[in-house]
Amino acid sequence: MVVQETDYGRHAVTARQDIKLPRNLVVVLTLMLAAAFIMVLNETVMSVALPRLMLDFKVSAALVQWLTTAFLLTMAVVIPLTGYILQRFSTRVTFVTSVGLFTVGTGICAFAPELGVLIMGRVVQGAGTAIMLPLLTTTVLTLVPIRRRGRIMGLNTIIIAVAPAIGPVFSGLVLNTLGWRWTFLLILPVAVVIFILGAFLIVDFSDRNPGRLDFVSVVLSGAAFGGLIYGLSSIGESVEGHVLLPPWVPVSIGVVALALFVLRQLQLQGTKAVLLDMRPFRVGNFSTGTIMLMLFMAALFGSLILLPLYLQRVLTLDTLQTGLLLLPGGLTTGVVAPVVGRAFDRWGPRPLVIPGSFVVAAAMGGMYLLGPSTPLAQVVATHVVLGLGLGMVMTPLLTSSLGSLHQDLFSHGSAITNTLQQLAGAAGTALFISVMTATTANGGHIDTGSVTAQADGIHHAFLWGFVLTLIAAGMSFFLRSPRPTVMTTVVH
């Protein structure tokens, strides 16, 4: 019998699978999940709207691309700070600040008179999103008993997989009927309601252990992750000459700053000035799970950019058709994730991650076979298999790697995994686009037609996705279950 003392009341909690969470905790988690869902959905709605915005604002592709780049850069800079933020401020203050920033940013975007104001709104949105994702993960790890973590973290996986899949469909429908501003106007009232409910219903559960903010670490963190994300994200644009700097410049700055940042954190280790605690990497299960997550996220983000290009440039579908065809794969992950979460609570990660990893690799191998004459049914089926595999691996990996840490390191571990997933997504996108572009331009197939050349480039890019996921599948045999100990959580 484990007793949890919380502001929700004293609850006797047994380490059984049928344990029920306190009603007020369910309300808090529901609000956080809802907030995270609309924030992640917001990440992908812009991709479909960019051509329309180029016409409305009369700007080039290089300028309008900053709507995506600015959002990613803000996420890259803010997420590493969340380990400090979550230990410094109360849960209510953190939640309200996160949703408040997102709401204000959405309002700015909805009524933006020019592109510069719209980009500013995306920056404010990105800051709110960057805080919410680690807050949600840390909340689950801190308050949810170990035997229920899998199924609750499964809901987190739904957000990661389903929201990006719905985003382009949602944006396509809105653009075809109402106009791009409505992509924000429809989200805005939902964000306002979540903000109001959170201000009244969220209570503080954290054992705060605030340290002092090390300015040098903040600067190095921003230069490291901002430089890497920007440099990697701009590789695809650089092929068409649409970048301010050659990608190698920000990437080089990012690599040097990252090395200095890590050295600085190791120097501050054990003091209250450490910005991002490196001790989670001493836990083998955390390191293995995090590397696997990075490989899968690189493959996932690469496929998210390549599949729409394949469907539109090779199979000549429009944006709405593309979104609808990709929707079943994302929904498959959403349907599978809760089931996988319950299975994880019962059997641990290995029976799920090992076969799931090979399912993902098989799906990437299937995408390698896509060509100009591939039937649409085969494309959808391959994407559904990918969604099935990701649904099998994402929840167990995230739960087992973070669950292996001591409670004091939850916030730092969550910040690390979220930061590295963003970095891996940018790297995966850069790798896939670079291989596609190089093959298309230099493969000697241009004379056979642009469709064939595009198909050949995409074909070779998916080969790299298959290699990445096959490496992750091999690593799955080294994953272990978190130590089955239950800590008493005292909530103030």
Side-chain angles (χ1 to χ4, degrees):
M1 183 78 74
V2 176
V3 177
Q4 286 191 331
E5 287 189 23
T6 75
D7 281 343
Y8 314 117
R10 294 180 67 128
H11 303 281
V13 178
T14 59
R16 299 176 303 164
Q17 285 187 238
D18 59 350
I19 181 176
K20 290 185 177 181
L21 300 177
R23 183 180 62 85
N24 286 345
L25 176 55
V26 172
V27 171
V28 169
L29 290 174
T30 301
L31 284 173
M32 290 187 178
L33 286 165
F37 184 85
I38 63 169
M39 290 178 182
V40 176
L41 173 72
N42 169 77
E43 281 194 58
T44 57
V45 295
M46 277 289 92
S47 58
V48 178
L50 294 183
R52 182 76 57 85
L53 289 165
M54 290 172 62
L55 294 175
D56 286 0
F57 289 121
K58 296 180 175 58
V59 295
S60 66
L63 287 177
V64 80
Q65 188 65 37
W66 272 96
L67 290 169
T68 300
T69 303
F71 190 94
L72 291 174
L73 281 176
T74 305
M75 293 273 287
V77 172
V78 175
I79 287 180
L81 304 178
T82 56
Y84 168 82
I85 291 172
L86 296 181
Q87 292 189 334
R88 175 65 179 84
F89 300 102
S90 70
T91 307
R92 175 183 289 165
V93 169
T94 306
F95 180 88
V96 170
T97 300
S98 172
V99 181
L101 285 170
F102 180 80
T103 303
V104 171
T106 303
I108 293 173
C109 291
F111 299 102
E114 60 181 12
L115 182 63
V117 177
L118 185 57
I119 291 173
M120 182 180 70
R122 292 288 284 173
V123 168
V124 178
Q125 281 186 323
T129 304
I131 296 172
M132 179 55 64
L133 299 179
L135 174 63
L136 171 60
T137 303
T138 303
T139 301
V140 173
L141 292 171
T142 303
L143 283 188
V144 176
I146 288 178
R147 292 297 182 90
R148 285 293 299 270
R149 280 182 189 164
R151 65 187 71 181
I152 303 300
M153 291 292 280
L155 300 177
N156 197 5
T157 301
I158 293 177
I159 292 168
I160 295 173
V162 177
I166 293 177
V169 180
F170 168 75
S171 184
L173 290 172
V174 171
L175 287 171
N176 285 345
T177 54
L178 297 172
W180 67 265
R181 293 186 187 276
W182 283 93
T183 59
F184 300 107
L185 288 171
L186 292 175
I187 291 175
L188 184 58
V190 180
V192 170
V193 170
I194 293 173
F195 176 83
I196 294 172
L197 291 176
F200 287 100
L201 298 179
I202 300 288
V203 296
D204 187 26
F205 62 80
S206 57
D207 270 335
R208 295 198 297 278
N209 183 28
R212 63 178 179 85
L213 192 60
D214 180 55
F215 180 73
V216 175
S217 295
V218 174
V219 172
L220 289 174
S221 172
F225 298 109
L228 287 170
I229 294 290
Y230 174 70
L232 292 170
S233 299
S234 64
I235 287 178
E237 302 167 56
S238 68
V239 177
E240 301 174 358
H242 292 160
V243 290
L244 298 175
L245 292 171
W248 68 265
V249 175
V251 168
S252 299
I253 294 173
V255 169
V256 173
L258 180 61
L260 294 174
F261 174 76
V262 172
L263 290 174
R264 179 70 174 175
Q265 302 318 294
L266 293 175
Q267 182 184 24
L268 298 174
Q269 200 74 67
T271 71
K272 289 189 175 184
V274 64
L275 181 65
L276 199 59
D277 202 314
M278 295 289 138
R279 285 179 293 172
F281 287 110
R282 296 177 183 175
V283 180
N285 218 45
F286 175 84
S287 297
T288 300
T290 300
I291 293 172
M292 290 181 65
L293 278 170
M294 291 180 67
L295 292 170
F296 284 129
M297 290 300 288
L300 172 61
F301 274 73
S303 65
L304 284 176
I305 195 71
L306 278 194
L307 275 177
L309 289 176
Y310 167 75
L311 291 171
Q312 293 176 44
R313 296 183 181 181
V314 178
L315 300 187
T316 65
L317 303 181
D318 61 34
T319 53
L320 184 57
Q321 290 173 318
T322 298
L324 290 172
L325 282 173
L326 295 180
L327 186 59
L331 293 179
T332 299
T333 303
V335 170
V336 168
V339 178
V340 169
R342 288 192 290 271
F344 172 86
D345 290 334
R346 184 170 182 178
W347 295 309
R350 286 169 61 84
L352 298 163
V353 174
I354 293 176
S357 298
F358 284 96
V359 170
V360 174
M364 295 303 297
M367 290 182 181
Y368 171 69
L369 301 176
L370 299 180
S373 60
T374 303
L376 288 179
Q378 181 178 336
V379 179
V380 174
T382 303
H383 192 232
V384 166
V385 172
L386 177 64
L388 173 65
L390 290 172
M392 293 177 68
V393 301
M394 296 299 287
T395 296
L397 279 177
L398 194 59
T399 310
S400 62
S401 59
L402 290 173
S404 300
L405 303 177
H406 188 274
Q407 183 174 338
D408 291 343
L409 296 176
F410 283 164
S411 61
H412 289 281
S414 179
I416 289 171
T417 54
N418 277 281
T419 301
L420 293 181
Q421 284 182 61
Q422 292 289 324
L423 187 60
T429 300
L431 173 64
F432 280 41
I433 290 295
S434 299
V435 173
M436 181 196 73
T437 305
T439 305
T440 301
N442 303 319
H445 303 291
I446 300 298
D447 57 330
T448 63
S450 61
V451 170
T452 301
Q454 288 282 346
D456 194 48
I458 291 170
H459 170 79
H460 281 81
F462 275 126
L463 176 61
W464 283 88
F466 174 68
V467 172
L468 290 177
T469 52
L470 202 59
I471 293 172
M475 293 181 64
S476 66
F477 293 99
F478 297 96
L479 195 67
R480 297 290 180 265
S481 297
R483 182 175 298 178
T485 58
V486 182
M487 288 185 293
T488 301
T489 302
V490 180
V491 182
H492 301 286

